[in-house]
Amino acid sequence: MNDTAVTTRSDATGEGLWEQASAHLRAQLSEGTFSAWFTGVKALHLDHDTVTLAVPNPFTKQWIESRYLDLVHDAFREAANRSLTVALSADDGGPVPIAVEAEPEPLPTPAPPHSGRDRTTGVGPAQDGRAHRGLAPTATEPSTSFHPKYVFDSFVIGSSNRFAHAAALAVAEAPAQAYNPLFIYGGAGLGKTHLLHAIGTYLAHCHPNQVVRYISTEQFTNDFIVALQRRTIPDFHRRYRAVDVLLIDDIQFLEKKEGTQEEFFHTFNALHPSSQVVITSDRPPKKIATLEERLRTRFEWGLITDIQPPDIETRLAILQKKAETDGLHVPAEVMSFIASHIQTNIRELEGALIRVVAYASLTGTEVTLELARDVLKSLLSGTTEARVTADLVISVTSGYFDVTDEEIRSSSRSRPLVNARQTAMYLCRELTDLSLPKIGERFGGRDHSTVIHATNKIRGLLKERQSCYEQVQELTARIRQQAARG
């Protein structure tokens, strides 16, 4: 290998940089995503400002370019301490890819009948559940990472979510005994994912022998397609059926995916009733269009509970908890103002608080009611009358940065485009009810992890750069005004 040394880090080579960059990527992505798309990637060569990576086949190349290239660029920037151009080279001799758009039917996997788990035996719960299904133990497999802030103690309970919280806690305390499956539905930004992570964290501490798997429906679909492509269906089954608790987010994305519905049907049958299944959705099972009836009835076997938008008391409690957790000093009258004006989305509620505090920090002023009114003027105008869409956010943002909608959705990595794209993603997250995967779809089919990275990046810049703060304020005002005009 003829690697050219770079001067930013001593003895840096393509292999060395990729080793560092891949470690950064692994920390940003779920273990399943990293394993599916990056374990077979190798550094081919490094030539001045361009690093070329070898990927197994054209399918993997296209998938990484369309969904993860932003993250790969940032990972190399972290590793090399400067910007590098990343090129992907596909090995045409790899496995023949299967197109994502034409999702194939899965291999027949009839579920074996099972009699339930004997909780009175001396066999550890994880061993019992997996052996019961005839699958090899996977105790050495890396466990799912759960968000450290998404725990039961940080979940603010109110009349709108009390029953969902109680059901989730009951499942965490006694998996596969209380409510199985547990189906939680509600609008975006109300705490469904928080409860899934809280269950996972609780189980990791109180039932360490149990294998817990958290996954989004999008990732389940991706892993299934990769397993079909690479002919590793047994490994896929082992990953999702050799578990004691399966936590699956945003099940509504099974719509119009007949092959994945078939696979999830058999996965559900393999797990239930001896293993716990917890599912979230933005709507109840009966309102998920094109969902197979046999899946719908299984989702209704256990407990279905919803989370409603929080009342004023709960919104105040959420803001107080956020201020306490982040060490923010915010007067009660400011919290009351924010809570009374943002009524339906917890994510937007907390975002408004962060925006006010960020402005005060940037300008060196105190947080007052007058400041909050001024800062949130654009955010609050028209919140009840106008509905903001992703297409509107992209259109306004592209005009502001003097680029086209198509360029924002493209795979281009020019600095102005990256900034415009990340800002638009952040605004979509703040101003719309779209989930992370849906936002990613609006930006050229990017992965939800790219959206997370973009929103975190802009959220950090809001606290550090006055120019970024002013851009977001101006864009928010323009988007609200155009939405109000229809």
Side-chain angles (χ1 to χ4, degrees):
M1 181 176 296
N2 297 321
D3 292 329
T4 303
V6 295
T7 58
T8 52
R9 302 245 173 130
S10 59
D11 299 325
T13 64
E15 288 181 337
L17 285 175
W18 173 237
E19 184 177 350
Q20 296 175 51
S22 62
H24 184 73
L25 274 174
R26 188 185 290 273
Q28 297 292 318
L29 300 168
S30 70
E31 187 63 33
T33 298
F34 184 87
S35 176
W37 300 109
F38 291 99
T39 51
V41 176
K42 300 183 185 300
L44 204 56
H45 55 78
L46 175 65
D47 182 15
H48 300 294
D49 290 333
T50 300
V51 59
T52 302
L53 301 178
V55 297
N57 52 60
F59 179 81
T60 301
K61 177 178 182 292
Q62 183 273 332
W63 197 269
I64 292 176
E65 285 177 338
S66 64
R67 292 172 176 258
Y68 302 112
L69 200 56
D70 290 351
L71 291 179
V72 174
H73 275 279
D74 288 340
F76 271 105
R77 185 183 298 115
E78 181 74 17
N81 205 24
R82 66 189 179 103
S83 294
L84 293 174
T85 299
V86 179
L88 302 182
S89 176
D91 178 5
D92 292 330
V96 177
I98 296 173
V100 178
E101 291 76 13
E103 185 180 17
E105 291 295 318
L107 301 176
T109 52
H114 39 282
S115 56
R117 179 181 310 207
D118 183 1
R119 297 278 177 174
T120 65
T121 67
V123 179
Q127 286 182 328
D128 180 28
R130 290 190 297 272
H132 171 68
R133 290 183 287 277
L135 296 170
T138 57
T140 59
E141 190 175 317
S143 59
T144 299
S145 297
F146 296 103
H147 197 298
K149 292 185 178 181
Y150 289 174
V151 294
F152 283 118
D153 286 345
S154 65
F155 189 87
V156 179
I157 304 170
S159 59
S160 60
N161 60 23
R162 189 180 308 278
F163 189 62
H165 172 271
L169 184 57
V171 162
E173 291 175 340
Q177 294 186 26
Y179 310 112
N180 196 17
L182 173 61
F183 192 103
I184 303 172
Y185 71 92
L190 296 182
K192 302 185 298 296
T193 300
H194 187 140
L195 286 178
L196 286 187
H197 280 258
I199 292 171
T201 300
Y202 187 99
L203 288 166
H205 286 90
C206 298
H207 302 277
N209 291 329
Q210 293 204 336
V211 176
V212 183
R213 182 80 61 215
Y214 166 83
I215 195 73
S216 68
T217 300
E218 181 197 36
Q219 188 60 55
F220 182 88
T221 302
N222 292 348
D223 288 354
F224 175 53
I225 293 170
V226 171
L228 287 169
Q229 173 203 346
R230 298 179 178 176
R231 298 177 177 85
T232 57
I233 285 293
D235 292 339
F236 175 84
H237 289 167
R238 190 173 297 108
R239 176 171 176 78
Y240 289 109
R241 301 184 186 187
V243 300
D244 297 282
V245 180
L246 179 64
L247 310 170
I248 186 157
D249 215 352
D250 289 325
I251 202 71
Q252 73 272 8
F253 292 127
L254 282 183
E255 281 185 329
K256 301 178 182 178
K257 295 183 174 69
E258 290 81 6
T260 308
Q261 287 191 35
E262 174 83 14
E263 179 59 32
F264 189 76
F265 170 76
H266 292 302
T267 298
F268 184 97
N269 285 345
L271 293 172
H272 191 276
S274 62
S275 294
Q276 177 70 50
V277 179
V278 184
I279 302 166
T280 70
S281 174
D282 64 356
R283 70 205 81 157
K286 63 183 179 181
K287 290 189 177 181
I288 301 177
T290 73
L291 185 67
E292 291 183 5
E293 184 62 27
R294 56 181 180 172
L295 267 179
R296 183 178 289 109
T297 57
R298 278 160 176 75
F299 293 166
E300 294 172 347
W301 278 353
L303 175 68
I304 299 177
T305 181
D306 68 334
I307 299 180
Q308 294 292 330
D311 55 26
I312 182 66
E313 293 81 10
T314 305
R315 297 198 296 275
L316 274 171
I318 290 169
L319 291 175
Q320 290 165 359
K321 188 77 171 182
K322 179 68 174 176
E324 177 186 331
T325 302
D326 292 357
L328 308 175
H329 301 288
V330 183
E333 61 181 4
V334 174
M335 290 195 187
S336 179
F337 172 77
I338 295 173
S340 63
H341 285 81
I342 299 179
Q343 303 174 4
T344 59
N345 189 305
I346 296 172
R347 192 183 302 127
E348 189 173 347
L349 184 72
E350 294 181 339
L353 178 66
I354 291 171
R355 191 176 291 196
V356 170
V357 174
Y359 182 82
S361 175
L362 285 168
T363 58
T365 57
E366 291 185 5
V367 177
T368 64
L369 182 57
E370 183 179 358
L371 180 140
R373 283 199 179 102
D374 185 52
V375 169
L376 300 179
K377 186 186 304 179
S378 60
L379 186 66
L380 301 179
S381 62
T383 51
T384 55
E385 299 89 354
R387 178 176 176 268
V388 175
T389 66
D391 288 340
L392 176 60
V393 171
I394 292 172
S395 175
V396 173
T397 305
S398 63
Y400 182 88
F401 285 100
D402 196 23
V403 297
T404 67
D405 295 8
E406 291 73 21
E407 287 175 323
I408 277 191
R409 293 187 172 98
S410 74
S411 59
S412 173
R413 284 287 306 169
S414 68
R415 187 173 293 276
L417 268 180
V418 169
N419 183 40
R421 186 182 298 126
Q422 290 179 337
T423 302
M425 286 182 175
Y426 170 81
L427 290 168
C428 279
R429 186 67 168 155
E430 290 290 307
L431 303 179
T432 76
D433 288 334
L434 292 175
S435 65
L436 292 169
K438 283 295 185 183
I439 293 174
E441 285 181 14
R442 299 301 197 279
F443 286 82
R446 284 174 165 82
D447 186 76
H448 71 282
S449 56
T450 302
V451 181
I452 294 174
H453 174 77
T455 54
N456 288 342
K457 183 74 173 291
I458 298 301
R459 192 173 288 120
L461 291 176
L462 282 173
K463 301 176 183 178
E464 299 171 3
R465 297 183 187 174
Q466 180 77 25
S467 59
C468 179
Y469 184 88
E470 290 172 353
Q471 284 176 348
V472 169
Q473 286 288 91
E474 175 67 19
L475 281 166
T476 301
R478 293 187 185 186
I479 291 166
R480 291 289 191 196
Q481 289 168 6
Q482 289 203 25
R485 290 198 297 265

